[in-house]
Amino acid sequence: MSLITFAASPLVITPTVRSFTFTPPHRRSNHTVMSAVRSETTSTCPVLTKFQNDCATPTPFLREVANALADDMQAGLAVHGGGDLEMILTYVDALPSGKEEGLFYALDLGGTNFRVRSVQLGGEEERVVATKSEQLSIPQKLMIGTSEELFGFIASKLADFVAKEEPGRFRLEQGRKREIGFTFSFPVHQTSIDSGTLIKWTKGFNVSGMEGKNVVACLNEAMEEHGLDMRVSALVNDGVGTLAGARYWDKDVMAGVILGTGTNACYVEQKNAIPKLQNKSSSGTTIINTEWGGFSKCLPRTIFDQEMDKESLNPGEHLYEKMISGMYLGEIVRRVLLHMFKAGELFGQSVPVKLCTPFAIKSQDLCKMQEDNTDDLSSVGSILYNIFEVEADLKARRRVVEVCDTVVKRGGRLAGAGIVAILERIERETKRLTSGQRTVVAMDGALYERYPQYRQYMQDALVELLGDDLARHVHIKHTKDVSGLGAALLAATNSIY
Ligand code: BGC
């Protein structure tokens, strides 16, 4: 059931804080990020024209997507495996209060990087007294190697990090083990706050033999081998970490959304609205990890999406993620460009060999091209030359920008529909928006952070679906890298001491 009416409304992005709040129409300003698409008649470009039509996401269609997502959320809450969305019970029933004290650690594994952080918490008055972090990139071969290699690497880096700790700034209470909040950003069937088994890999990871294994046990084994006497007190998803870390500073945070290499959304749910929860008498709230990347209904999938999916490491899975997240946008564009080349719509006669290389172009390249404001699209020309070694004339450059815009617009608008489904779910139980209560969605991920056009499309869709009156109470707050703090805080909340 729809809670809202459709209405388009403008938003303003302030350049410093990449968050948005509703702004009344007359204040629409130059800050508003506009699409860099230049109009060109596409009648001579049948492949492009068809692609644009197939990718269209008018408001009524987005409403269908939001409703289908809401149905799948309900089905997943009713029974395990009830819908596309896992709706994972995270065992996070208590969010940080601000009173947490002591030294805690966060390990973050989820994309191309691995991060380790120490946080000295000083309670309500002092909050975060000291924090230190290190980031390392995960060697590609470890992403598709064995679990011993992957967790051995993590444990050795953790051991190096702890060995360098400055005792003056970080103080572990006597008799205590070092406790870790482990952010593991893949679908995990959580069995308690500190254990869970991997459901499947996503985002280009495919470590052998791990599906169905307890990821905390894998880390424990590796830590033992490296002589590390540490304990995982909380196993959390990055969306949960983002929600928890943001809630530490802002009590109105009700959801955590990730729009980066991969995507996900987690939110605060009433326990008595979760039929699959075993303890039926429970009251209060808990955090649900939706794993919305797995959504697959009524999506505008083109032949390019289908082929990319077929050749991916996880065919048939995470179809929504493959349309809206940073890992895939460039690859969809590449496939369309290749098809346009074959149809004689781009780049002349000789095959640009690099155009055949999967994942040659990244979402950050698309963004740079969309931001080219020069008359001759000179950066578009040089980006195409650098990546694909092609000389593109102005007509070709314009067409390429149109393809980028089509993919990014579809992705951003579908992500907006997803956020609306989450907000409406929260609204069902809390009536926050209808009663005018500020409701914050904590947002993290490089795609949201660094792609203004994507952000704008997402925000437009959100307001179109929610309507001005409700949208004015929604705040999308960019909370960069807060999931590490959130994981450390959840380790504190679930400390064994
Ligand atoms: C994973 C989620 C994760 C998201 C963002 C997805 O591929 O399934 O668990 O939260 O990426 O990192």
Side-chain angles (χ1 to χ4, degrees):
M1 187 190 66
S2 164
L3 295 167
I4 54 167
T5 53
F6 302 147
S9 171
L11 295 164
V12 172
I13 298 174
T14 54
T16 44
V17 187
R18 290 201 177 97
S19 305
F20 85 91
T21 49
F22 176 88
T23 309
H26 66 273
R27 285 192 43 206
R28 182 164 200 145
S29 79
N30 295 338
H31 288 137
T32 306
V33 182
M34 300 304 286
S35 148
V37 174
R38 285 139 189 88
S39 60
E40 186 215 11
T41 165
T42 49
S43 56
T44 50
C45 258
V47 173
L48 175 56
T49 309
K50 177 167 185 341
F51 182 63
Q52 286 172 322
N53 290 339
D54 291 349
C55 288
T57 51
T59 315
F61 173 75
L62 285 183
R63 169 44 60 198
E64 276 176 38
V65 172
N67 289 351
L69 256 157
D71 290 348
D72 263 357
M73 286 170 73
Q74 183 58 46
L77 288 175
V79 50
H80 179 65
D84 285 348
L85 275 63
E86 299 277 354
M87 303 301 280
I88 295 167
L89 303 170
T90 63
Y91 295 86
V92 175
D93 295 349
L95 281 164
S97 63
K99 296 193 176 121
E100 296 76 8
E101 283 187 63
L103 174 59
F104 294 91
Y105 295 80
L107 275 189
D108 188 340
L109 175 71
T112 39
N113 292 319
F114 157 72
R115 234 170 288 163
V116 45
R117 174 182 291 280
S118 50
V119 189
Q120 185 75 46
L121 298 166
E124 218 154 12
E125 292 296 306
E126 295 182 74
R127 297 275 167 149
V128 178
V129 180
T131 181
K132 188 179 161 206
S133 73
E134 237 173 66
Q135 178 168 310
L136 297 140
S137 56
I138 303 269
Q140 172 74 26
K141 66 176 196 316
L142 292 190
M143 291 163 63
I144 47 172
T146 65
S147 68
E148 289 75 18
E149 285 164 348
L150 178 65
F151 284 94
F153 172 83
I154 295 173
S156 78
K157 297 303 167 197
L158 179 60
D160 294 347
F161 182 82
V162 171
K164 286 186 281 185
E165 197 162 270
E166 304 147 65
R169 292 179 70 208
F170 298 98
R171 299 171 308 278
L172 184 70
E173 255 180 63
Q174 251 193 344
R176 283 189 172 206
K177 276 192 187 193
R178 290 184 161 81
E179 288 181 280
I180 305 170
F182 181 22
T183 308
F184 186 76
S185 310
F186 300 95
V188 160
H189 173 62
Q190 199 116 11
T191 40
S192 68
I193 183 65
D194 58 4
S195 67
T197 54
L198 177 69
I199 299 173
K200 60 191 170 202
W201 289 109
T202 56
K203 296 178 286 194
F205 274 70
N206 196 13
V207 175
S208 57
M210 268 208 67
E211 285 173 15
K213 269 201 191 166
N214 181 354
V215 292
V216 174
C218 293
L219 178 61
N220 282 341
E221 249 169 59
M223 288 197 301
E224 222 171 277
E225 268 170 33
H226 285 80
L228 268 175
D229 191 18
M230 295 176 84
R231 174 176 196 283
V232 174
S233 293
L235 171 67
V236 296
N237 180 269
D238 51 351
V240 176
T242 298
L243 199 168
R247 175 65 87 94
Y248 184 63
W249 302 109
D250 185 339
K251 293 282 167 267
D252 289 330
V253 173
M254 295 298 286
V257 171
I258 309 289
L259 286 168
T261 308
T263 184
N264 199 3
C266 302
Y267 73 101
V268 180
E269 181 61 278
Q270 305 295 318
K271 282 186 180 169
N272 59 19
I274 311 175
K276 73 177 173 185
L277 197 63
Q278 247 137 46
N279 182 358
K280 296 275 185 290
S281 62
S282 25
S283 60
T285 58
T286 189
I287 306 303
I288 295 292
N289 169 11
T290 66
E291 285 295 340
W292 77 3
F295 179 62
S296 69
K297 313 235 161 66
C298 65
L299 293 172
R301 291 179 78 223
T302 64
I303 180 77
F304 307 103
D305 299 290
Q306 290 166 27
E307 284 173 4
M308 179 181 73
D309 172 48
K310 229 191 302 165
E311 289 166 32
S312 70
L313 287 173
N314 54 346
E317 284 170 1
H318 266 46
L319 301 183
Y320 183 55
E321 172 159 287
K322 286 173 181 154
M323 292 179 116
I324 74 168
S325 83
M327 177 162 169
Y328 302 99
L329 300 184
E331 177 58 7
I332 302 167
V333 167
R334 184 193 69 81
R335 285 169 182 270
V336 179
L337 298 185
L338 183 59
H339 200 76
M340 286 172 72
F341 164 77
K342 288 181 181 162
E345 292 176 20
L346 270 184
F347 305 147
Q349 298 298 311
S350 50
V351 186
V353 177
K354 297 261 170 79
L355 196 55
C356 303
T357 311
F359 294 93
I361 189 163
K362 313 269 180 245
S363 50
Q364 50 269 39
D365 303 313
L366 312 189
C367 178
K368 280 190 216 133
M369 291 199 281
Q370 282 202 267
E371 295 206 309
D372 184 353
N373 285 321
T374 59
D375 287 341
D376 62 348
L377 296 178
S378 50
S379 330
V380 175
S382 46
I383 290 168
L384 291 174
Y385 185 79
N386 291 338
I387 296 175
F388 298 128
E389 295 175 0
V390 286
E391 299 278 1
D393 62 14
L394 186 54
K395 201 155 92 181
R397 293 174 193 183
R398 286 195 175 128
R399 286 178 179 174
V400 170
V401 175
E402 288 207 45
V403 175
C404 296
D405 189 65
T406 305
V407 172
V408 167
K409 182 173 184 177
R410 184 186 67 168
R413 287 177 64 78
L414 287 172
I419 296 174
V420 168
I422 300 285
L423 285 166
E424 289 178 353
R425 175 79 212 177
I426 296 169
E427 187 63 10
R428 222 173 96 144
E429 302 295 331
T430 64
K431 304 283 176 282
R432 288 177 70 98
L433 296 175
T434 18
S435 62
Q437 228 183 319
R438 178 175 173 269
T439 300
V440 178
V441 175
M443 174 72 77
D444 202 2
L447 188 61
Y448 180 83
E449 183 188 350
R450 303 199 197 128
Y451 210 139
Q453 287 83 2
Y454 183 94
R455 276 201 306 272
Q456 186 67 56
Y457 285 133
M458 186 203 89
Q459 293 157 8
D460 288 347
L462 195 141
V463 179
E464 281 168 38
L465 292 182
L466 270 186
D468 295 353
D469 287 347
L470 297 186
R472 74 178 68 244
H473 306 299
V474 175
H475 298 250
I476 306 281
K477 199 168 179 180
H478 178 222
T479 49
K480 189 174 163 58
D481 293 344
V482 88
S483 76
L485 170 65
L489 285 162
L490 290 173
T493 316
N494 295 285
S495 166
I496 48 164
Y497 301 104

